[in-house]
């Protein structure tokens, strides 16, 4: 049994430029960092990226973290990760980002104690990796074209384009002209009706898109099925799939599930979600919010288990207080990670 000291730090991180999706525009993001240090001076770091869309704020995260950290102290064994996540979920059900922050910090601490990176703790091959996409937020068409050109100059070969406007085809055409050889995904963020989605997908399919993410609101599962059954492109579910128990509910109405740590409540639950998706014949993408490497780095360690990655959230910040897993040109370089834990470090 160990004794722990903990620190909670709430920060507002400015974005490099305003970031817009179908639901609105943000210029900064509020995050909460958690540090858990054992009695030998080894510390693990985690981060929460709460979003009001899922009923959380930095204030609610701060409010529940002391109770979650009490559970860690009561269990006393940092390696009992599944038990701690189960108890946190039973205690605080509606704050997944807060629970995720503690889960990340514990995984970071556990693997630092063992002096291994997180992917080795899971028995994964670091060479079985993939490239993260870079997200092009909604803006005027010329600016989106310039963002695309800038991303390509930085070496990104995979782009995700935010849609949900009255000029979606114009946007995709402009991005495709600026990046003729790039892999393109698009994300409507619930911005279309089912009939609009089918019509838009018919218009967009000739531009060589790999899939369309969350075309309709999560509150309309029958609408998602309507689109899935008529779509010329694969459909990814993001807002419609939060935790592993959601996978069977959406397995007959999408091709891909988008795993986000801020939605699911912890790394053990994230692994369950991946396995549930595979059992239902679905592909898996790991995504993120606009957030720090303190919470993105652990998701990068899932790379050998994924089909797609969208882990560029820290790149959209003006400045991130944490470094993470190397991602030159978007390639998730787990083999190049030279430190134990998740790789998040100040």
């Amino acid at each position: 049994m160990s004794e722990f000291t903990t620190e909670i730090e709430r920060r507002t991180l400015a974005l490099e430029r305003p970031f817009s999706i179908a639901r609105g525009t943000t210029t900064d993001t509020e995050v909460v960092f958690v540090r858990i240090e054992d009695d030998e001076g080894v510390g693990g770091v985690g981060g929460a990226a709460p979003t009001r869309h899922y009923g959380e704020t930095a204030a609610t995260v701060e409010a529940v973290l002391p109770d979650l950290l009490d559970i860690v102290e009561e269990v006393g064994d940092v390696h009992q990760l599944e038990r701690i996540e189960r108890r946190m979920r039973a205690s605080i059900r509606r704050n997944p980002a807060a629970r995720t922050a503690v889960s990340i910090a514990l995984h970071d601490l556990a693997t630092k104690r063992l002096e291994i990176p997180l992917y080795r703790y899971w028995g994964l091959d670091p060479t079985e990796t993939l490239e993260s996409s870079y997200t092009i937020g909604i803006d005027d068409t010329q600016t989106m074209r310039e963002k695309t050109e800038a991303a390509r100059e930085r070496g990104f070969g995979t782009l995700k384009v935010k849609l949900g406007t009255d000029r979606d085809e114009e946007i995709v055409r402009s991005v495709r002209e600026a990046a003729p050889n790039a892999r393109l995904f698009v994300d409507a963020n619930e911005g279309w009706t089912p009939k609009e989605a089918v019509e838009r997908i018919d218009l967009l399919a000739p531009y060589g898109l790999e899939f369309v993410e969350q075309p309709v609101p999560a509150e309309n599962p029958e609408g998602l099925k309507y689109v899935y059954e008529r779509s010329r492109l694969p459909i990814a579910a993001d807002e419609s799939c939060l935790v592993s128990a959601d996978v069977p509910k959406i397995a007959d109405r999408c091709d891909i599930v988008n795993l986000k740590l801020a939605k699911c409540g912890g790394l053990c639950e994230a692994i369950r979600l991946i396995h549930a998706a595979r059992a239902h014949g679905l592909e898996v993408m790991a995504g993120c919010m606009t957030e720090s490497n303190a919470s993105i780095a652990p998701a990068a360690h899932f790379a050998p288990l994924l089909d797609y990655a969208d882990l560029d959230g820290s790149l959209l910040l003006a400045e991130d207080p944490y470094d993470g897993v190397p991602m030159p040109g978007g390639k998730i370089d787990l083999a190049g990670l030279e430190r134990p834990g998740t790789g998040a470090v100040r």
Side-chain angles (χ1 to χ4, degrees):
M1 301 290 285
S2 298
E3 294 184 0
F4 303 100
T5 58
T6 60
E7 298 176 15
I8 299 170
E9 179 188 5
R10 179 173 169 180
R11 291 280 298 272
T12 298
L13 304 178
L15 303 188
E16 188 173 38
R17 62 171 68 194
F19 182 73
S20 298
I21 64 172
R23 286 193 294 269
T25 300
T26 55
T27 58
D28 57 38
T29 183
E30 277 201 294
V31 299
V32 182
F33 300 127
V34 179
R35 177 178 171 82
I36 302 174
E37 185 174 306
D38 66 14
D39 47 16
E40 296 182 1
V42 181
V45 173
T51 170
R52 290 182 182 275
H53 189 71
Y54 298 113
E56 280 189 283
T57 65
T60 65
V61 169
E62 276 192 308
V64 302
L65 275 175
D67 291 336
L68 298 177
L69 293 169
D70 283 346
I71 292 170
V72 175
E73 193 71 46
E74 290 166 10
V75 173
D77 183 353
V78 70
H79 294 284
Q80 292 190 25
L81 297 163
E82 180 65 51
R83 179 186 176 194
I84 293 171
E85 279 199 23
R86 185 169 60 249
R87 287 195 54 185
M88 289 196 298
R89 187 168 58 251
S91 175
I92 307 289
R93 296 193 62 85
R94 296 183 181 276
N95 292 84
R99 288 185 277 118
T100 291
V102 176
S103 173
I104 293 170
L106 289 172
H107 279 77
D108 191 36
L109 175 54
T111 48
K112 283 177 177 174
R113 278 183 163 187
L114 297 172
E115 298 184 346
I116 58 173
L118 181 57
Y119 68 80
R120 283 198 62 194
Y121 193 70
W122 290 331
L124 302 178
D125 181 351
T127 66
E128 294 179 355
T129 189
L130 72 168
E131 183 178 298
S132 172
S133 57
Y134 184 88
T135 304
I136 309 298
I138 293 172
D139 215 314
D140 66 81
T141 305
Q142 179 58 33
T143 299
M144 293 183 74
R145 184 187 185 100
E146 292 169 359
K147 290 178 183 178
T148 300
E149 293 169 346
R152 295 292 282 161
E153 288 174 3
R154 294 171 68 179
F156 285 89
T158 304
L159 304 174
K160 183 162 88 167
V161 183
K162 293 292 189 177
L163 300 179
T165 74
D166 58 3
R167 52 190 174 86
D168 288 336
E169 186 183 8
E170 175 188 324
I171 288 170
V172 172
R173 181 172 60 250
S174 179
V175 168
R176 177 51 83 195
E177 288 172 354
N181 300 316
R183 300 174 67 199
L184 291 187
F185 319 147
V186 297
D187 183 3
N189 284 112
E190 307 180 284
W192 299 328
T193 67
K195 288 186 177 180
E196 281 178 337
V198 174
E199 292 170 356
R200 300 282 175 93
I201 291 169
D202 282 343
L203 289 173
L204 300 177
Y207 293 97
L209 309 182
E210 296 206 12
F211 63 80
V212 176
E213 186 176 343
Q214 200 63 43
V216 300
E219 294 76 17
N220 188 359
E222 290 308 309
L224 184 63
K225 189 172 186 179
Y226 176 92
V227 177
Y228 170 70
E229 291 174 344
R230 294 163 177 79
S231 176
R232 294 172 59 186
L233 296 172
I235 299 298
D238 179 0
E239 288 89 341
S240 293
C241 185
L242 308 185
V243 296
S244 59
D246 293 326
V247 172
K249 303 172 188 175
I250 51 92
D252 64 346
R253 55 204 69 199
C254 69
D255 304 278
I256 305 159
V257 295
N258 188 359
L259 158 70
K260 290 181 180 175
L261 293 178
K263 297 187 302 183
C264 74
L267 299 185
C268 295
E269 173 62 14
I271 293 288
R272 278 194 293 274
L273 192 153
I274 292 171
H275 292 321
R278 295 302 187 201
H280 286 83
L282 301 175
E283 292 187 308
V284 182
M285 173 168 66
C288 63
M289 309 301 182
T290 48
E291 55 186 299
S292 166
N293 275 309
S295 45
I296 292 177
H301 289 258
F302 292 133
L305 301 175
L306 304 175
D307 301 286
Y308 308 96
D310 179 37
L311 299 175
D312 64 331
S314 67
L315 301 178
L316 304 178
L317 302 175
E319 185 177 358
D320 187 351
Y322 286 89
D323 289 328
V325 174
M327 286 199 297
K331 183 178 180 181
I332 300 170
D333 186 13
L334 291 176
L337 184 63
E338 298 179 348
R339 49 187 177 266
T342 67
V345 63
R346 276 189 154 154

